[in-house]
């Protein structure tokens, strides 16, 4: 019997367009002789199954099923391709765990924790994971610009605490630029993290559970044509992503160990992609993504390909791991 796989995509955040592309790639890559694949669009105003004719059928949220031509379809597994909320912050994970439906991403708590940059970095610091100096601000807090600069220095990065794909992020060079940078970040989230600038090589490390083993994929070096690895650099081709990274063996082994340690400390499952900048030869963690981009141009699939793992194998392995 072929398994029914719901590929959820879209979401409630600024990342929904990237998510739709990721979900479509997963849909096209799955072997249809093994799986019945269904594209499920998740938006605030509708949850729908979209067939090949672009017809929409409403999802029953009580049991996550869909009626198509009087046939009720239930799903054996959910492939999570939603970047940002509600797919990467724990909401969908909790929902599927309550319904006892296997899914390809990490657990509810791990998703919520990793999506919150402040809490994730605070959790990992006692384990020796190095990070940038940081300062936290909630919406409505009194802003002490001098205290911020004393803690993190200039230049610094002002980031939305719970947002992905470089939305709500500004590189600040002068004290006078802080208010507008905070405004940009607060448009994405009511929590902001301000971090010191780390001047060094930036790398991205994919870690997955592959055939039962925690596997670190080849490292990607990020060379942005812009001032930093912003949205345009990530998605509009304004960066070079070099896999494997042009770093020496010792640095590579160090960051691989760190990325695997982060995956295991946090008890992650499925995909993860963590970002690091080297300072004084040591990798400093920027963030952990648990639903990374899955298009052909995305970093994690590029890394998998270098490791000899095809797109279809990458996605089908995630499903089989979830079904165990």
């Amino acid at each position: 019997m072929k398994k029914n796989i719901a590929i959820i995509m879209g979401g409630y955040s600024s990342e929904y367009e990237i998510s739709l592309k990721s979900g479509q790639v997963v849909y096209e890559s799955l072997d249809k002789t093994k799986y019945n694949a269904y594209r499920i669009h998740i938006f605030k105003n509708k949850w729908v199954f979209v067939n090949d004719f672009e017809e929409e059928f409403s999802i029953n949220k009580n049991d996550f099923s869909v009626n198509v031509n009087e046939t009720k379809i239930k799903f054996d597994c959910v492939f999570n391709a939603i970047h940002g909320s509600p797919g990467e912050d724990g909401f969908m994970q909790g929902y599927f765990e309550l319904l006892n439906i296997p899914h390809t991403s990490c657990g509810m708590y791990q998703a919520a924790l990793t999506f919150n940059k402040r809490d994730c970095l605070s959790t990992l610091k006692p384990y020796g994971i190095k990070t940038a100096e940081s300062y936290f601000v909630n919406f409505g807090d009194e802003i002490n610009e001098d205290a911020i600069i004393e803690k993190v220095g200039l230049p610094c990065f002002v980031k939305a605490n719970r947002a992905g794909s470089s939305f709500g992020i500004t590189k600040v060079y002068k004290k006078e630029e802080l208010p507008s940078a905070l405004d940009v970040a607060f448009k994405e989230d009511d929590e902001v993290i301000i971090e010191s600038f780390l001047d060094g090589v930036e790398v991205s490390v994919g870690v997955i559970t592959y055939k039962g083993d925690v596997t670190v994929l080849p490292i990607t070096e990020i060379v942005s044509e812009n001032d930093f690895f912003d949205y345009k650099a990530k998605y509009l081709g304004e960066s070079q992503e070099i896999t494997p990274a042009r770093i020496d063996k010792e640095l590579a082994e160090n960051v691989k160990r760190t990325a695997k340690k982060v995956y295991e400390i946090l008890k992650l499952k499925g995909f993860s992609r963590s970002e690091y900048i080297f300072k004084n030869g040591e990798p400093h963690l920027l963030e952990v993504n648990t639903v990374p981009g899955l298009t052909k141009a995305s970093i994690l699939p590029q890394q998998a390909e270098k490791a000899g793992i095809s797109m279809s194998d990458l996605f089908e392995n995630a499903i089989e791991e979830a079904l165990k």
Side-chain angles (χ1 to χ4, degrees):
M1 286 284 289
K2 288 200 283 184
K3 301 282 189 188
N4 289 340
I5 310 299
I7 305 164
I8 59 171
M9 59 188 89
Y12 303 165
S13 76
S14 304
E15 299 179 80
Y16 77 93
E17 290 181 17
I18 309 300
S19 171
L20 291 175
K21 289 177 182 174
S22 289
Q24 183 64 28
V25 169
V26 174
Y27 177 72
E28 291 168 0
S29 301
L30 290 183
D31 184 343
K32 303 306 189 291
T33 66
K34 291 184 191 172
Y35 307 104
N36 298 315
Y38 296 84
R39 295 180 300 168
I40 310 295
H41 288 190
I42 304 285
F43 293 111
K44 279 183 177 173
N45 62 336
K46 62 181 180 180
W47 290 21
V48 290
F49 157 54
V50 182
N51 69 12
D52 288 338
F53 305 102
E54 301 303 316
E55 297 172 316
E56 296 185 353
F57 301 84
S58 289
I59 294 292
N60 181 344
K61 293 181 185 177
N62 292 316
D63 60 358
F64 197 69
S65 65
V66 62
N67 283 313
V68 180
N69 302 326
E70 298 180 9
T71 301
K72 181 170 181 168
I73 297 164
K74 299 189 84 171
F75 300 105
D76 298 295
C77 183
V78 173
F79 193 107
N80 183 4
I82 297 179
H83 314 310
S85 187
E88 201 168 1
D89 55 4
F91 286 99
M92 296 307 291
Q93 289 85 348
Y95 170 70
F96 292 124
E97 284 158 26
L98 284 171
L99 292 175
N100 203 27
I101 301 174
H103 59 87
T104 58
S105 48
C106 61
M108 176 185 73
Y109 172 72
Q110 284 79 7
L113 177 63
T114 51
F115 197 67
N116 187 311
K117 296 182 185 77
R118 176 192 66 194
D119 293 356
C120 184
L121 296 174
S122 299
T123 298
L124 290 166
K125 270 184 182 176
Y127 291 90
I129 305 299
K130 293 180 171 57
T131 65
E133 285 291 333
S134 53
Y135 189 104
F136 307 111
V137 181
N138 292 326
F139 186 73
D141 284 357
E142 188 177 332
I143 306 300
N144 185 333
E145 294 168 1
D146 292 325
I148 292 169
I149 291 164
E150 187 179 339
K151 179 84 185 289
V152 302
L154 287 171
C156 63
F157 284 102
V158 178
K159 304 177 180 180
N161 188 42
R162 296 168 298 185
S165 294
S166 301
F167 286 107
I169 179 168
T170 307
K171 190 174 181 181
V172 169
Y173 290 89
K174 301 175 190 165
K175 177 179 166 180
E176 302 82 67
E177 296 168 357
L178 269 174
S180 61
L182 286 163
D183 287 344
V184 168
F186 281 131
K187 284 191 177 105
E188 294 292 331
D189 188 22
D190 60 7
E191 296 176 3
V192 166
I193 180 170
I194 304 166
E195 292 182 323
S196 61
F197 169 60
L198 298 174
D199 191 8
V201 175
E202 181 171 353
V203 296
S204 183
V205 189
V207 183
I208 62 174
T209 302
Y210 185 69
K211 300 191 189 304
D213 293 323
V214 176
T215 303
V216 183
L217 298 173
I219 303 163
T220 299
E221 180 183 349
I222 308 295
V223 184
S224 177
E225 294 170 15
N226 302 334
D227 201 14
F228 61 96
F229 194 44
D230 60 6
Y231 181 88
K232 288 181 179 178
K234 265 186 189 174
Y235 296 113
L236 303 181
E238 296 178 13
S239 69
Q240 292 179 66
E241 294 157 9
I242 302 160
T243 311
R246 301 166 302 178
I247 55 177
D248 68 41
K249 190 175 178 184
E250 190 178 336
L251 288 181
E253 289 305 315
N254 192 353
V255 76
K256 280 188 166 188
R257 273 195 309 274
T258 303
K260 187 178 185 195
K261 185 177 177 182
V262 164
Y263 190 95
E264 291 175 337
I265 289 167
L266 297 176
K267 299 183 179 173
L268 298 180
K269 294 188 297 185
F271 303 131
S272 88
R273 203 193 71 228
S274 45
E275 322 296 333
Y276 301 85
I277 289 178
F278 286 100
K279 181 183 176 186
N280 302 324
E282 290 288 337
H284 287 57
L285 176 66
L286 300 179
E287 63 178 2
V288 179
N289 303 284
T290 58
V291 187
L294 298 172
T295 69
K296 291 177 177 66
S298 298
I299 292 172
L300 191 122
Q302 288 180 39
Q303 295 175 339
E305 186 184 5
K306 291 287 183 187
I309 302 169
S310 69
M311 294 278 267
S312 58
D313 189 14
L314 180 69
F315 302 148
E316 289 171 18
N317 173 76
I319 291 166
E320 296 307 319
E321 286 293 327
L323 288 168
K324 283 182 177 176

